[in-house]
Amino acid sequence: MALTELMVKQAKAEEKTYHLSDGRGLALEVRPNGKKYWIIRYWVSGKERRSSIGPYPGVTLREARDKNHEFRRALADGKIASA
């Protein structure tokens, strides 16, 4: 299920770091200190790689989706080193 701005805003810190997935590799990482970060998760040769987009609310859900789309396009075009 895709995230909504309200779901992102209401995400509360827990004892351990957890992720809320938006789909297509975009996730919101919620840390125990309450900080929230947008992460792009992708796989190369069977290994997970991660790229940070920035903190929420500095980067909105809409901006994170746009940056994820741009990142995936650049990755597919070979403009981003996949190793």
Side-chain angles (χ1 to χ4, degrees), residues 9-26:
K9 186 177 181 179
Q10 291 180 341
K12 301 291 183 201
E14 293 184 3
E15 189 173 317
K16 294 185 178 185
T17 298
Y18 68 96
H19 296 89
L20 296 174
S21 178
D22 187 53
R24 297 202 31 90
L26 180 63

Side-chain angles (χ1 to χ4, degrees), residues 23-78:
R24 297 202 31 90
L26 180 63
L28 181 71
E29 181 177 271
V30 183
R31 297 188 180 168
N33 62 6
K35 298 198 183 226
K36 302 170 188 177
Y37 297 92
W38 291 109
I39 304 292
I40 296 173
R41 299 169 69 189
Y42 62 103
W43 287 260
V44 176
S45 301
K47 293 188 179 183
E48 181 183 0
R49 302 284 188 232
R50 296 165 42 124
S51 181
S52 176
I53 296 177
Y56 176 84
V59 178
T60 65
L61 174 59
R62 182 71 179 143
E63 292 168 336
R65 286 177 176 160
D66 290 343
K67 289 182 180 186
N68 184 40
H69 181 72
E70 292 169 14
F71 179 87
R72 296 220 172 261
R73 180 173 289 162
L75 186 64
D77 291 343

